[in-house]
Amino acid sequence: MIYGHIKDLASSFAWLPTPLKTAVEHLRTTDFAALPAGNYELQGNDIRVQVIDMLTRPLADARPEVHRQFIDVQFLVQGAEKIGVAADTGHNLVFSDQLAERDLLLYTDVDNESTLTMTPGSFAVFFPTDVHRPGCVVDQPQAIRKVVIKVRASLLA
């Protein structure tokens, strides 16, 4: 997992592999507040952009998730959100296996979870070994706008 702020992109994240650099550079140069919510292609099906408007929910109401084919680059545009994070130990109880259809594996719960607090401009990169539980409340439920850029993991090989 990588966590940072978009303002530090040039000074602290120049070492990122090209596909991830493409994703975070797109975050830095795009006005997502003006873009309609929806799905967009950045580099065909290899790098895709999701602009999401949602209401945050209690941590207990959100399912921890992992992806095997894609890396998530999550970016907060407006509001505040907590994201639960943990290493995928392979011992978590599966709630729903949607890997074949949506590259999504939901767990019932996860051990040794920490949380990140996302504020506007924050981004986090979740690899296939990183469990994450996005969209959780900071103080109380609130409307947020976030962007998730899906980067095909094999591009880093």
Side-chain angles (χ1 to χ4, degrees):
M1 185 198 78
I2 301 168
Y3 177 71
H5 195 279
I6 205 69
K7 69 176 175 47
D8 301 322
L9 181 60
S11 61
S12 299
F13 298 99
W15 55 268
L16 285 173
T18 300
L20 294 179
K21 198 178 291 187
T22 297
V24 293
E25 184 64 22
H26 185 66
L27 295 174
R28 191 183 68 75
T29 59
T30 304
D31 181 5
F32 289 106
L35 199 62
N39 298 313
Y40 303 89
E41 289 185 358
L42 185 56
Q43 286 186 0
N45 198 36
D46 288 335
I47 304 178
R48 304 184 317 254
V49 180
Q50 300 171 330
V51 179
I52 303 165
D53 292 325
M54 64 180 294
L55 187 65
T56 58
R57 59 202 184 272
L59 189 76
D61 293 348
R63 295 279 179 210
E65 63 184 57
V66 291
H67 313 286
R68 299 298 187 219
Q69 302 299 315
F70 285 87
I71 297 164
D72 266 11
V73 180
Q74 299 203 12
F75 175 70
L76 195 65
V77 179
Q78 296 171 333
E81 113 183 93
K82 282 196 188 268
I83 299 178
V85 295
D88 192 357
T89 62
H91 301 294
N92 300 311
L93 182 62
V94 173
F95 176 78
S96 177
D97 183 341
Q98 303 172 39
L99 289 171
E101 306 85 12
R102 300 180 50 209
D103 189 37
L104 177 64
L105 184 64
L106 297 171
Y107 292 128
T108 301
D109 208 354
V110 65
D111 291 330
N112 302 314
E113 186 175 27
S114 300
T115 59
L116 299 173
T117 299
M118 303 284 284
T119 57
S122 298
F123 71 92
V125 181
F126 299 105
F127 295 92
T129 55
D130 299 323
V131 179
H132 51 287
R133 188 187 315 229
C136 299
V137 299
V138 172
D139 294 316
Q140 61 187 8
Q142 66 176 284
I144 64 170
R145 171 162 275 211
K146 69 183 300 179
V147 175
V148 179
I149 299 184
K150 301 281 196 177
V151 177
R152 189 175 298 282
S154 62
L155 294 177
L156 273 62

